[in-house]
Amino acid sequence: MEEPAIVSTPGGPLRVSGGLPIVRKAAVSSEHGEPLTWKTYESLTEQDSYSLCRCGQSANKPFCDRSHIRVGFEGVDAAHVDTYKDRSTVLGGTGITVSDDRSVCAHAGFCGNKVTDIWEQVAETDDSVVRLAVINEVEKCPSGAITYRFEGDDADTEPDYPTQIAVTADGPLWVTGGISVTTANGDEIEA
């Protein structure tokens, strides 16, 4: 079987190959409406390849039903082709270094709660309890806007997530597992 990959087609869907699983996930929230974790509640396909809708008109979302042809969809790839390092701001930290790229934030809300947020917590990461909370919050972020690296490491720590695509409620697709994503003009997007 070929390696899992996602390729954006010009004016059309995302073409997925390599037997990549696709699931539906939803945030599990506290009694205060704060997202706590993710729950997978449905597996959508076992196919080796499939197409995902980008036009928003499919009657079979998230899958493409070729509605893009009927509506004259002219999808333009808007994904960043520069690097996270170029776009992000280093927030700091003790024992870890936290960085943030607001341009890719999906506003899932895992970066804070009714009491505090990552931007406040970074200054308190000398406390291992706070550091653990920050790590957990970062690892729940579906966009990868906020990252961390351990002191002395040259690269951000990538959570050990399954190789899959998750469809999130009212949100973007969440691609995990280091899957290759290529724009219609052939640019590979940084994982």
Side-chain angles (χ1 to χ4, degrees):
M1 185 184 307
E2 63 186 303
E3 287 292 314
I6 302 170
V7 177
S8 177
T9 62
L14 295 174
R15 189 75 186 128
V16 180
S17 60
L20 195 55
I22 184 167
V23 299
R24 288 193 195 277
K25 285 190 178 195
V28 176
S29 297
S30 74
E31 63 276 15
H32 306 291
E34 305 159 319
L36 300 172
T37 192
W38 291 97
K39 180 179 179 182
T40 300
Y41 64 93
E42 183 181 12
S43 179
L44 297 175
T45 187
E46 298 286 329
Q47 298 176 13
D48 185 50
S49 63
Y50 49 90
S51 295
L52 296 175
C53 177
R54 285 199 310 151
C55 75
Q57 302 300 311
S58 176
N60 189 29
K61 292 177 192 159
F63 301 104
C64 175
D65 67 0
R66 303 188 53 80
S67 291
H68 60 280
I69 296 168
R70 177 180 47 82
V71 300
F73 178 69
E74 296 181 22
V76 176
D77 290 328
H80 294 286
V81 291
D82 56 350
T83 67
Y84 177 85
K85 185 176 181 180
D86 293 336
R87 296 185 314 271
S88 64
T89 301
V90 175
L91 302 177
T94 301
I96 59 173
T97 299
V98 179
S99 296
D100 179 22
D101 174 9
R102 294 290 75 213
S103 73
V104 297
C105 178
H107 306 286
F110 286 94
C111 53
N113 56 47
K114 70 179 191 161
V115 177
T116 190
D117 60 40
I118 282 181
W119 298 270
E120 292 176 0
Q121 291 172 301
V122 165
E124 300 170 17
T125 51
D126 55 330
D127 179 335
S128 63
V129 172
V130 174
R131 190 177 323 128
L132 176 60
V134 168
I135 289 169
N136 284 325
E137 292 164 356
V138 169
E139 290 188 351
K140 303 272 187 309
C141 174
S143 69
I146 302 174
T147 62
Y148 72 91
R149 69 180 58 196
F150 288 105
E151 196 170 280
D153 285 354
D154 293 334
D156 291 329
T157 300
E158 186 71 26
D160 189 19
Y161 284 132
T163 302
Q164 71 179 13
I165 299 173
V167 179
T168 62
D170 298 321
L173 299 173
W174 183 12
V175 179
T176 58
I179 299 164
S180 170
V181 179
T182 307
T183 66
N185 64 0
D187 293 324
E188 189 163 339
I189 298 170
E190 180 184 36

